Amino acid sequence: MMEFEKFESAMERFSSTVQKSSRVEKVAITQALGRILASDVAAPFSTPRRPTAAMDGYALKGTDLSEGAKFKIVGTTPAGKMPSAAAKAGECVKTFTGGLMCEGSDTLLPIENVQVQGSEIVVTKPVSAGFAVRAAGESYREGELLLRSGTKLGFSQIALLAELGLFHISVFVRPKVAILATGSEIKDLGERLENDAQIYSSNHIALANLVTQLGCEAMIMPLVRDDEKELGGAILSALQSADILLTSGGVSVGDYDFVQSTLQSKFELIVKGAAIKPGRHVRVAKTGEKYIFAFPGFPLSALITCILFLRVYLQKSFGVRENTEFSAILDHDYVKKTPWMEFMPAVLQNRDGQLFVSLQSKKQGSSAILNNLDDDSVLLVAPLEVKELKKGELVRVISVPKI
């Protein structure tokens, strides 16, 4: 059996070659979904800036409250307006949700807890001092660090940026990733299959969407036959306009597998395979600051190795802050099929606050396609050193990128 390097050492060596990106650009927050923040964001002011009413009611001094107590209404404060009056002893200011609490008040008495009698209110149900008042700085205080560089911007982070009044923000330039599917047996979409030995390529489509979900700009290149000269030219051409090249197919040791020899002869080969299933023939090469990731041709193998290696590149290059690994309870026994480290599509379930993981009931072969990595999927990790995992055991799980 061919010897392969341990996954951890291969990944560590590869990771050590990746430098922090210095390519940054400004974008509008309306165009920032999925982008990676390139600088820390601190609060330019406190929110709320002053104590604020959390509901409609009457702003007054909480120590004066008792059932039957009367307060004179001396003003009204709608949201967005400065208070027009202060609340002295025995006085109150009608204040609406989001309105600033007036001077002299520290409590908001809800409108449901009073009877209005002309220009006065009568307390029908007292509340505790400080009730329904948002303190100044309750959300965040001026100068507080809110978002760190490396944060992937989702809808909630972008909403926060809008709340801060920020429109243009600094993000890392998305790397251009070229996808090159290889193999004389594959045809592109729209082409005619000439015989039963040919198939339509799905790898270039799947990988393009995967790298897009990971925050990169995908470039689909024309398919390449199993021809060494043609392959070498296609790789060099793709690297002229791309920062990263992903290839699928041709990484094994067959007579028509030319990717390995091409990378070996033209580039600095960093990873020459790893003891993993699927994807043990994965290759990683480098030229200058550009990387070539050569993945197997089986769709599931290509996708899993892409998740493992490209994610690490992004974490190192952009300092991505994303919790992609965690633990879960195995729902059944699992016997490994190989002597290598295995990454198997699995389903995660939350039961009463505990995470359970189980293998998909779908096809498990390395050629089984996209339904093995849908929105409910994770990767169950079976370490190199063990032969089986037991039900109830705490196991390592890796998340799959989501839209």
Side-chain angles (χ1 to χ4, degrees), residues 43-113:
F45 45 75
S46 297
T47 296
R49 302 193 189 202
R50 293 174 54 175
T52 304
M55 59 177 63
D56 296 340
Y58 296 87
L60 42 75
K61 192 70 173 176
T63 53
D64 298 338
L65 274 176
S66 60
E67 187 173 350
K70 294 183 178 182
F71 293 83
K72 181 181 179 182
I73 304 171
V74 295
T76 300
T77 306
K81 298 289 185 179
M82 296 297 293
S84 59
K88 300 177 183 177
E91 295 179 343
C92 66
V93 173
K94 190 173 186 180
T95 306
F96 294 88
T97 305
L100 297 181
M101 297 293 289
C102 65
E103 185 180 343
S105 69
D106 60 9
T107 303
L108 197 286
L109 183 63
I111 57 175
E112 297 87 355
N113 294 34

Side-chain angles (χ1 to χ4, degrees), residues 177-180 221 235 238-239 242-247 291-294:
V177 180
I179 293 96
L180 184 65
M221 311 304 291
I235 289 176
L239 289 172
D243 304 301
I244 299 169
L245 172 63
L246 309 183
T247 71
Y291 284 83
I292 305 105
F293 298 89

